[in-house]
Amino acid sequence: MEADGWQLVEDAEDADVAVVNTCGFVEAAKKDSVDALLEANDLKGHGRTQAVVAVGCMAERYGKELAEALPEADGVLGFDDYADISDRLQTILNGGIHASHTPRDRRKLLPISPAERQESAAAVALPGHGPADLPDGLAPASGPRAPLRRRLDGSPVASVKLASGCDRRCSFCAIPSFRGSFISRRPSDVLNETRWLAEQGVKEIMLVSENNTSYGKDLGDIRLLESLLPELAEVDGLERVRVSYLQPAEMRPGLIDVLTSTPKVAPYFDLSFQHSAPDVLRAMRRFGDTDRFLELLDTIRSKAPQAGVRSNFIVGFPGESASDLAELERFLIHARLDAIGVFGYSDEEGTEAAGYDGKLDEDVVAERLARVSRLAEELVSQRADERVGETVHVLVESVGEEDGVYGRAAHQAPETDGQVLLTSGEGLSVGRMVEAKVVGTEGVDLVAEPLFEGSPARIEEAGR
C-alpha cells in the first residue's frame, strides 16, 4: 500500500479509509471485531474518514454473510483480495462496490501431502507470506533485506510469523477451515525479517503460528526449527528468541534440548494441553493424559529448572464428567504452570463438537469455569512465589517516573504471562536486558532487584 502512495496515519479520524483487522476464532473475539467496525463507522461524518473496510479472519470466514449482516462496513475483503488491496480500497473509496467473496474451505486450496505444498503456495493467498524484499526506496537502512512490513511502535519486542494454517483436526476448532492447511515460511525469509527487526531496535522476537512444532514438515525437514533457532539467536542486536504455541503431542527430545540449552533462546514452553482427562482429549481429537503431560514437564525441568510453561484449557466440553474435571484439577495442581488460561466451552459453527451429544447446561459450564479459574489464579500465584530468590534476565519494556520500571523475564511472554517490576530504574532504558534477583511477588507478577555492579544484591550473589 505504501508503494502505491497510501500513508499510514496515527489517528483513525485522519484516515480516508479505516481498515479493521478482525478475528474469527471464538464468539467473544468476533463480538470485539464487530464492535470495532461499528466504532470505526462512527468516525464517518466527523472527520476525514469516508469508508470502513473489514479484513482479517472474520472477514475471510464469513465474507458475503458478514457484508449482508453488517451494512456499516463499506467493504469486506478476504485473503484473496490482499494482493490487490490497494485497488480494492480505492474502488470502495471512490464509491464503487466490491462484491464480497463466498467463503470456502481453505484446506482444499493446497495439496493434502505437506511435501507438495510449497510448489503450489505461490498461487494461494497466504497472509504474512509475502515477498521477503521491499520495493526500492522503502527499505530503511537494511536495503533489499527488509521484509514487506512496517513497525507500528517502538517496542523492543516483535512477533515474527513462522508458518500459517493447521493440519490438526481438533473437534472444537474452526481455524483450519478459514486459515487453510499448514505451510511454513522459508528459513531465509524468517531470518531476513528478524535481522531487519533487530536493526530497528527489536531485542526480542516471538515466533508465532498456529502450530510451531510442525514447522518444516512441508519443507522436507520436521526438525527445521531445531536448526533455525540457533541461527536466529546469533542475529546481531537480538537478546532473546521466544517460541509460542507448541503441540504437546508433537514435542520431540531434540526440540526440548534446543529450547533449554541454546543461549538467547528462552526456555519457554507455550504448550497447548486443552485438558488432561483422556476421554475428553479423545473427544477433542487430541492425545495425551495427565501422567504423560506431567512426564513431559519433568523432562523439560530436568534440563532447565527455571523454564517457563503456560497453557490454555477448555472446561465444560460436551460429555465432560465430574471425574474428568477432577482429573484436570489434579494435573493443574501438579503441573506448576506459570500462566494458565481457562475458557468455558461454547459451540463454534462448522466444528465437529458442535454436533456432539452430551452438551452441558450453560450454568454448569459457567460454574466449572469459575471454579477452575479460581484454582488457576491461586496456582500461578504460588508458582510466582516459588521464583523468589531466583536470578532472572529482564527485558525492560517501560520506564516511568511514577509507574516505575517494568519488563519481562524469560518465562513471561508479552501481554499474557505477567511482568517484572524492578525496584530500581537507575541507568535503565527501554530495550535493555538486565540481570535481577526476584525479591517478591504481586500475584503472578514478580518484584526484582537489579544486580548492578556494586549493588547489595550483586554483592550478596557474589558472596554465594
Side-chain angles (χ1 to χ4, degrees):
M1 290 179 67
E2 191 164 340
D4 289 335
W6 293 86
Q7 180 183 354
L8 186 69
V9 294
E10 293 288 339
D11 193 330
E13 292 185 356
D14 296 330
D16 294 304
V17 55
V19 182
V20 179
N21 192 31
T22 63
C23 179
F25 180 33
V26 292
E27 202 60 41
K30 288 184 280 188
K31 182 180 183 303
D32 287 344
S33 297
V34 171
D35 289 345
L37 285 163
L38 294 176
E39 182 182 348
N41 185 65
D42 289 340
L43 296 174
K44 291 192 293 187
H46 297 287
R48 180 166 176 158
T49 309
Q50 302 171 51
V52 174
V53 175
V55 298
C57 289
M58 188 177 179
E60 172 60 38
R61 184 177 181 183
Y62 296 104
K64 186 179 297 184
E65 181 183 344
L66 177 63
E68 293 172 352
L70 198 70
E72 291 85 354
D74 299 287
V76 174
L77 304 182
F79 297 158
D80 292 332
D81 291 310
Y82 283 14
D84 301 309
I85 193 168
S86 184
D87 290 341
R88 300 283 188 270
L89 294 182
Q90 194 63 61
T91 295
I92 293 168
L93 199 57
N94 291 340
I97 297 175
H98 174 69
S100 300
H101 68 288
T102 299
R104 52 181 171 169
D105 189 338
R106 296 192 72 86
R107 289 173 292 193
K108 299 178 181 179
L109 301 183
L110 291 170
I112 294 177
S113 170
E116 299 174 3
R117 289 177 190 163
Q118 289 287 335
E119 292 183 4
S120 306
V124 177
L126 298 169
H129 290 247
D133 298 338
L134 279 168
D136 290 342
L138 290 182
S142 307
R145 245 191 3 243
L148 206 57
R149 175 172 182 165
R150 268 287 178 263
R151 299 210 67 214
L152 302 183
D153 58 33
S155 170
V157 186
S159 295
V160 175
K161 179 181 280 291
L162 193 63
S164 63
C166 185
D167 288 342
R168 302 189 72 87
R169 294 296 180 263
C170 300
S171 63
F172 56 84
C173 183
I175 287 177
S177 65
F178 58 87
R179 292 296 299 188
S181 299
F182 183 90
I183 188 160
S184 307
R185 291 182 70 199
R186 293 191 174 276
S188 58
D189 288 347
V190 177
L191 275 165
N192 286 342
E193 184 168 352
T194 299
R195 291 181 182 122
W196 179 79
L197 288 167
E199 289 175 352
Q200 309 308 306
V202 169
K203 299 299 181 183
E204 175 181 329
I205 62 162
M206 186 165 179
L207 300 176
V208 297
S209 78
E210 282 80 1
N211 180 7
N212 284 326
T213 32
S214 283
Y215 180 69
K217 71 175 185 179
D218 54 318
L219 295 171
D221 184 2
I222 190 59
R223 295 178 176 80
L224 192 55
L225 185 56
E226 286 96 303
S227 57
L228 176 61
L229 285 171
E231 291 187 73
L232 291 170
E234 292 177 359
V235 170
D236 288 344
L238 210 60
E239 295 285 354
R240 183 184 288 156
V241 178
R242 185 183 303 277
V243 184
S244 69
Y245 212 80
L246 302 166
Q247 280 287 347
E250 297 181 27
M251 289 301 293
R252 44 195 182 269
L255 180 56
I256 294 174
D257 288 342
V258 170
L259 287 169
T260 55
S261 65
T262 308
K264 294 189 177 182
V265 172
Y268 176 79
F269 294 81
D270 177 9
L271 293 162
S272 172
F273 290 123
Q274 302 297 350
H275 213 284
S276 73
D279 289 346
V280 176
L281 286 167
R282 301 304 172 269
M284 289 179 170
R285 296 203 178 279
R286 297 175 68 85
F287 306 94
D289 55 47
T290 295
D291 292 334
R292 274 190 275 184
F293 290 163
L294 291 176
E295 288 175 7
L296 172 59
L297 295 178
D298 286 343
T299 298
I300 290 169
R301 288 171 175 143
S302 69
K303 298 176 181 294
Q306 290 185 230
V309 187
R310 82 164 333 269
S311 191
N312 295 319
F313 300 89
I314 298 173
V315 297
F317 194 79
E320 181 190 63
S321 66
S323 60
D324 291 330
L325 188 68
E327 184 69 0
L328 172 58
E329 291 174 326
R330 180 172 81 88
F331 171 70
L332 291 174
I333 289 169
H334 290 90
R336 297 168 54 232
L337 303 178
D338 292 280
I340 300 171
V342 187
F343 302 88
Y345 173 80
S346 61
D347 284 338
E348 269 298 307
E349 58 190 289
T351 63
E352 182 181 354
Y356 281 180
D357 295 327
K359 299 281 178 60
L360 304 183
D361 290 340
E362 289 185 7
D363 57 344
V364 174
V365 175
E367 188 278 328
R368 293 185 178 186
L369 174 61
R371 169 178 159 180
V372 176
S373 295
R374 286 193 299 269
L375 175 63
E377 186 175 354
E378 179 182 346
L379 291 172
V380 295
S381 294
Q382 291 177 6
R383 178 64 182 132
D385 289 338
E386 291 178 13
R387 292 192 178 275
V388 174
E390 288 185 357
T391 298
V392 294
H393 289 85
V394 180
L395 177 64
V396 177
E397 292 189 315
S398 66
V399 177
E401 293 183 6
E402 296 182 2
D403 298 333
V405 179
Y406 285 90
R408 289 176 300 100
H411 69 280
Q412 298 168 317
E415 300 180 6
T416 59
D417 298 349
Q419 55 189 352
V420 179
L421 169 63
L422 294 171
T423 59
S424 172
E426 181 183 354
L428 296 181
S429 57
V430 172
R432 178 172 171 183
M433 187 73 77
V434 59
E435 191 177 19
K437 179 181 178 180
V438 180
V439 295
T441 64
E442 295 179 356
V444 70
D445 298 332
L446 305 181
V447 179
E449 182 178 347
L451 296 174
F452 298 121
E453 196 65 39
S455 68
R458 172 66 76 186
I459 294 171
E460 181 183 342
E461 285 291 306
R464 292 182 178 179

